[in-house]
Amino acid sequence: MRWEDLFADLELQWEANEAADLAAELADRSRREASYLRLIDRMRPVVGRPTRCRVLGGQRAPETLHGTLAALGSDWFLLAESGAAETLVPMRSLLAVDSLAAVSAQPGHEGPLAAKLDLRYVLRGLVRDRSACTLRLVDGTALHGTPLRVGADFLEVAEHALGEFARRGQVRSGWTLPLDAIAYIRRVV
């Protein structure tokens, strides 16, 4: 009888040790898998949902933008704000994002084509459409104008008054901006 109790106790100890080892291994795997996640993998599941973001570019402090996460690229995201305004935000300007889902997209889930749709690609679309924009720089300065040309690391903008178009005689000057200086771009609608 005592031998049976001893063997039962040893078996319970064995099972408890196995369960503890499994729990430790699962926790370690979870931490390791989380280390492969990027911010865009965390943001991808909330495309189409309202969110709130803290970004560079406020006059004296960071600014909070509210809207629906409309699109997401490899180094940018598009926020659809109220009143049909769209704000293009380079990921390097993002300080914090609220309302992310508990789940994440699989790293690399966007595919090879979407990975190539970087900020310069989207800016070339603004140039092609001749979109009038308000550009907020990381120091809080606001410029109103139309993007003219996108280089490898710069954007040229024809500055003009808000509500006007880039026409000869109405363009005050042209700015050449390093892409790193742009906090966000709001398309004027």
Side-chain angles (χ1 to χ4, degrees):
M1 195 69 129
R2 285 197 275 160
W3 287 107
E4 288 176 4
D5 290 341
L6 177 64
F7 290 138
D9 185 49
L10 289 173
E11 188 175 334
L12 287 174
Q13 287 179 20
W14 174 265
E15 289 173 1
N17 285 339
E18 287 292 311
D21 287 346
L22 179 61
E25 182 180 343
L26 288 175
D28 185 53
R29 281 186 185 181
S30 295
R31 283 189 293 271
R32 195 171 342 122
E33 287 177 13
S35 70
Y36 295 117
L37 289 175
R38 302 165 298 168
L39 183 57
I40 63 170
D41 300 325
R42 293 285 295 123
M43 292 176 73
R44 195 165 305 286
V46 295
V47 170
R49 295 195 176 125
T51 191
R52 183 173 59 155
C53 303
R54 297 279 293 159
V55 298
L56 295 174
Q59 291 291 339
R60 296 174 192 253
E63 187 173 346
T64 301
L65 302 177
H66 301 267
T68 300
L69 187 61
L72 189 62
S74 60
D75 60 350
W76 58 271
F77 66 93
L78 184 66
L79 201 62
E81 297 178 291
S82 62
E86 293 179 330
T87 303
L88 176 67
V89 182
M91 286 296 241
R92 67 180 133 25
S93 295
L94 181 64
L95 299 174
V97 61
D98 189 22
S99 307
L100 291 181
V103 298
S104 298
Q106 185 71 22
H109 179 265
E110 66 273 9
L113 176 61
K116 294 179 183 177
L117 303 180
D118 65 359
L119 180 64
R120 292 171 301 165
Y121 178 85
V122 178
L123 291 174
R124 284 192 294 272
L126 291 176
V127 169
R128 185 176 49 252
D129 295 344
R130 298 189 46 81
S131 297
C133 300
T134 297
L135 295 95
R136 181 70 69 169
L137 304 182
V138 294
D139 70 353
T141 304
L143 299 174
H144 306 291
T146 301
L148 298 175
R149 184 165 59 167
V150 180
D153 61 352
F154 67 90
L155 173 67
E156 290 180 357
V157 178
E159 186 180 18
H160 52 79
L162 190 61
E164 294 180 0
F165 294 100
R167 293 188 181 106
R168 239 181 253 268
Q170 292 179 334
V171 174
R172 285 182 263 177
S173 65
W175 289 96
T176 302
L177 309 170
L179 293 181
D180 289 342
I182 299 171
Y184 62 84
I185 301 174
R186 185 170 283 134
R187 188 190 309 228
V188 178
V189 221

